[in-house]
Amino acid sequence: MALTREPSGSLASTFKEAKVRDYWGRRPDSPRRPRLLERLYPYIFNNPSRGSSFLQEFFAVSPGQLQDPFFSHAVRWGGGMRNLAFLSPEYRSCLSGYDPREELARWLPESFAGRDLLCRAQVLEIELFLAGFLLSSQGDRVAMAHSVEMRHPFLDYRVIDFAFRLPPHWKMRGLQEKYLLRRACRNLLPQRIASRAKHPYRAPVSALFSAASPADYVDDLLSGESLKASGYFDPDKVARLYQRVRETPPGTLGEFANMALMGVISTEILHRQFLASASYQGARRLTPDLVRYGAERKMEEREWRYCTDRP
């Protein structure tokens, strides 16, 4: 059994990026505001090749964007949208006219747009990230695969109820995240731990594609034959991306290229393990129910079976 702090970030608020971008959007011409992002991510921006131009391109925000109810996550989604360029023409055609934000808006409570910035960020993080990814893919599944049971004290309903009622200034003071949690534990932990800055773990994604690493299954998954068989991606575009990643010196390639290639590989693995397996082909297909804030409905056929009739 293991005790974990997850999901203290989603509840006590660690959305410093959104706060800085909101601050920047109200003064878009300020030369100092973009540099606040370097304080947030020193482990990313210590590369000389990724200086102020990267900050301006990736994180820049205009005053008009501040009214977007999804403002806190828009910069992440914008980066993800770039990955659609690697889909095959058939799949891009299937997604034409579909905006996932419209589907998301139907899940959210009616009062969502009127809440403060940090509260909206927390709701989105909990809906999209917490249960399906953080607690499942990175938590319970990994732990139970090694016979470890996880215990999440921050998921106690009383803690959640209290956290949701906190005003923004108790969630974050300046750029100090988890402000109230740090105050509550200041006499329980050594000062060096209670006051230290966040430094998340980072998966060594680029090492998977380097020439020195064993990449036999990577080459197989990214081969033209494999990509044509699954039909999700454009083999020529993926091949050019893979070649660029392999030829770029370690530590100089941007996050987008690495994560785009990892997305392709992950999709191909899932396809082989499940969709292309004989056991899945013989299983009866089910249409899931969606339950969001007490409103239950059936997913429409168009929503659930996007592109299942691929060539």
Side-chain angles (χ1 to χ4, degrees), residues 6-34:
E6 300 294 358
S8 62
S10 297
L11 299 178
S13 185
T14 58
F15 307 108
K16 295 184 291 186
E17 173 191 297
K19 188 172 183 179
V20 169
R21 294 186 71 242
D22 177 73
Y23 187 48
W24 185 0
R26 287 184 272 113
R27 292 286 300 276
D29 299 326
S30 172
R32 292 187 297 176
R33 282 162 173 72

Side-chain angles (χ1 to χ4, degrees), residues 116-158:
D116 63 79
L117 173 65
L118 296 184
C119 184
R120 294 198 306 269
Q122 285 179 273
V123 171
L124 291 175
E125 197 78 354
I126 290 170
E127 276 292 308
L128 302 176
F129 181 73
L130 180 59
F133 181 70
L134 183 61
L135 297 179
S136 179
S137 298
Q138 288 192 344
D140 286 340
R141 292 182 187 177
V142 176
M144 293 304 293
H146 296 84
S147 301
V148 176
E149 291 191 24
M150 305 298 289
R151 293 294 181 263
H152 306 273
F154 285 99
L155 285 180
D156 185 284
Y157 72 93
R158 290 158 295 192

Side-chain angles (χ1 to χ4, degrees), residues 28 30 37 39 49 69 74 89 104 157 175 185 197 206 230 236 251 279:
S30 172
L37 291 164
R39 292 173 54 188
S49 66
L104 173 61
Y157 72 93
L175 293 181
C185 297
S206 59
S230 63
D236 293 333
S279 59

